[in-house]
Amino acid sequence: MAAAMARLGTESAFAVLARAEALRRAGHDIINLGIGAPDFRTPHHIVAAGQKALADGYHFYTPAKGLLDVREAVRDDVAMRRGVVVDVETIMLVPGGKPTMFFAIQMFGEPGAEIMYPNPGFPIYESMISYTGATPVPVELREDHAFGFDAERVLGQITDRTRLLIVNSPANPTGGVIDEPSLRQLAKGLADHPHVAILSDEIYSRVVYDGVLHASLLAHPELRDRLIMLDGWSKTYSMTGWRLGYGIWPAAFIDDAERLQINSNSCASAAVQVAGAAALRGPQDDVETMVEAFERRRQLIVDGLNSLPGVTCVMPGGAFYAFANITGTGIGSAEMEERLLTEAGVAVIAGTSFGAFGEGFLRLSYAAAPENIERAINRMAQLLS
Ligand code: PLP
């Protein structure tokens, strides 16, 4: 095998999911707070649109960038929510959120190049950067800054070799949200570094709390010629298994992104694209109901975690993860993940699965029924006492 394969990491949430399922099949009662998927059904009108599309004959290849009508739906949604009108020719539909990051990192990563990424952060960033042979440069996200963003510090880490800067807000695994003034400061500072492209992962753009509106880097026109924005349907419409996402690319990169798509996926599934347009154009009440439910569960889990001996947890501003500090328990992240699963029947993810700066933390997904969150906290209390 190619040496690069040894550098490819993984997303251990899938391994924990498999272990939790195996334990459940063996008769154990497992509460799963591991995987990052909403626990709601995809809204009915979206499912119906997908079924109808199949019945209507959407079972062929589409243009590599996606059906024009669906890209127009994305353009209109982006215009409404981010206040920016983009050219439909710069939008590419892909199977899920991941392909846009996969393509962006492949486009810029090679030996000698540096790519900056959030740590703790979504594990695929570091994995893919290493795979390309580029040097992963972690941007440490700190609990004492509510896992927010220090634009000056980030700008200070840029070197002549930096090719790509990855930004993720709202963030996995910390739930941190980057506010508009920090994004503005970053955009302003990047003017001094015209050689750096930016990947803004905004897959949780609709999952923000406390009445805050999502702030997008796309709203900064001075970055438009080097900003790739990633979003998708997985989290917003509870469509993780449908596999649909999109990238908005700078005009200068879109043809290369399209070639990567043609070399890999060809296109996103035709009927799924049609369902995706129905999601964007249809009623949004289900999204609001889901986010309101997450907001209530957020309070429940954060209060519960803060009541545990040796555990503290800051209030996340977005996404559906609590990132709990467990240093007071004297137990490391990986051991705690293992013991919670095997001794307490609670599946969570060790902070170290999201990078070295995740040591001392656990990620708990609160996209779970409130009674299961309460039961999980009780089991954790028992284990820790
Ligand atoms: N980006 C972040 C920050 C995520 O947390 C995830 C999924 O958990 C993705 C991208 C990938 O989303 P998808 O499942 O649509 O590929």
Side-chain angles (χ1 to χ4, degrees):
M1 280 192 188
M5 283 307 293
R7 299 195 300 266
L8 191 64
T10 188
E11 185 184 353
S12 63
F14 282 97
V16 172
L17 178 69
R19 281 190 72 198
E21 281 307 315
L23 284 166
R24 189 174 286 162
R25 273 198 304 278
H28 298 273
D29 175 22
I30 304 293
I31 304 168
N32 194 347
L33 305 185
I35 197 77
D39 58 325
F40 289 80
R41 296 288 295 260
T42 303
H44 179 72
H45 69 278
I46 303 174
V47 177
Q51 287 170 327
K52 181 170 182 311
L54 281 173
D56 287 352
Y58 282 91
H59 27 70
F60 300 107
Y61 293 128
T62 74
K65 285 194 283 193
L67 294 163
L68 180 60
D69 178 63
V70 185
R71 284 186 284 132
E72 284 172 351
V74 170
R75 178 198 58 198
D76 296 347
D77 186 74
V78 167
M80 181 169 66
R81 298 184 193 286
R82 292 176 171 87
V84 184
V85 179
V86 298
D87 180 354
V88 279
E89 292 310 325
T90 64
I91 299 173
M92 186 163 78
L93 305 176
V94 280
K98 275 176 179 164
T100 300
M101 87 180 59
F102 196 87
F103 296 163
I105 295 170
Q106 275 196 330
M107 208 179 265
F108 291 98
E110 63 182 340
E114 292 177 359
I115 299 184
M116 293 167 60
Y117 70 103
N119 185 329
F122 190 51
I124 302 306
Y125 306 142
E126 186 177 342
S127 163
M128 274 303 297
I129 297 166
S130 302
Y131 180 70
T132 64
T135 305
V137 178
V139 170
E140 184 183 358
L141 297 183
R142 291 180 24 196
E143 188 191 29
D144 55 3
H145 287 79
F147 299 112
F149 192 76
D150 182 341
E152 279 311 316
R153 195 161 47 86
V154 174
L155 291 163
Q157 283 184 267
I158 293 176
T159 72
D160 290 348
R161 306 208 296 187
T162 309
R163 295 272 184 89
L164 181 70
L165 165 66
I166 303 176
V167 179
N168 173 218
S169 174
N172 177 8
T174 61
V177 169
I178 308 178
D179 59 20
E180 178 51 37
S182 303
L183 287 185
R184 203 175 319 124
Q185 202 184 352
L186 178 70
K188 194 160 165 268
L190 282 169
D192 297 333
H193 307 284
H195 61 293
V196 179
I198 305 107
L199 170 65
S200 183
D201 182 343
E202 303 185 12
I203 195 102
Y204 296 99
S205 61
R206 299 282 298 277
V207 191
V208 277
Y209 307 117
D210 307 315
V212 173
L213 283 179
H214 172 65
S216 175
L217 268 182
L218 197 68
H220 295 268
E222 66 273 35
L223 296 182
R224 183 70 187 99
D225 63 353
R226 51 188 166 126
L227 176 84
I228 303 154
M229 196 204 73
L230 177 166
D231 202 342
W233 284 257
S234 292
K235 317 289 176 178
T236 305
Y237 298 101
S238 197
M239 290 176 69
T240 51
W242 292 69
R243 310 309 301 142
L244 189 64
Y246 65 85
I248 297 184
W249 296 80
F253 305 169
I254 184 70
D255 291 348
D256 295 287
E258 187 179 16
R259 278 192 303 134
L260 283 163
Q261 170 99 311
I262 293 169
N263 273 268
S264 51
N265 307 307
S266 293
C267 61
S269 159
V272 170
Q273 291 184 40
V274 176
L280 296 178
R281 291 190 174 125
Q284 303 294 303
D285 327 23
D286 291 309
V287 180
E288 281 151 29
T289 305
M290 185 176 78
V291 175
E292 279 162 20
F294 289 159
E295 191 154 3
R296 289 192 295 275
R297 296 170 188 185
R298 172 183 74 144
Q299 191 70 49
L300 186 67
I301 199 163
V302 170
D303 288 348
L305 287 165
N306 280 315
S307 74
L308 297 174
V311 180
T312 58
C313 185
V314 299
M315 187 63 81
F320 36 69
Y321 309 109
F323 205 55
N325 184 326
I326 57 162
T327 46
T329 65
I331 303 174
S333 297
E335 185 188 340
M336 187 68 96
E337 174 192 291
E338 180 66 23
R339 292 187 61 185
L340 279 173
L341 183 62
T342 55
E343 295 174 33
V346 180
V348 302
I349 314 283
T352 41
S353 297
F354 304 94
F357 291 118
E359 182 52 84
F361 292 88
L362 285 183
R363 189 194 79 172
L364 300 96
S365 165
Y366 51 89
E371 50 277 20
N372 282 340
I373 294 174
E374 276 168 358
R375 285 169 63 221
I377 295 289
N378 289 339
R379 290 183 185 188
M380 290 175 79
Q382 258 177 358
L383 184 89
L384 291 172
S385 61

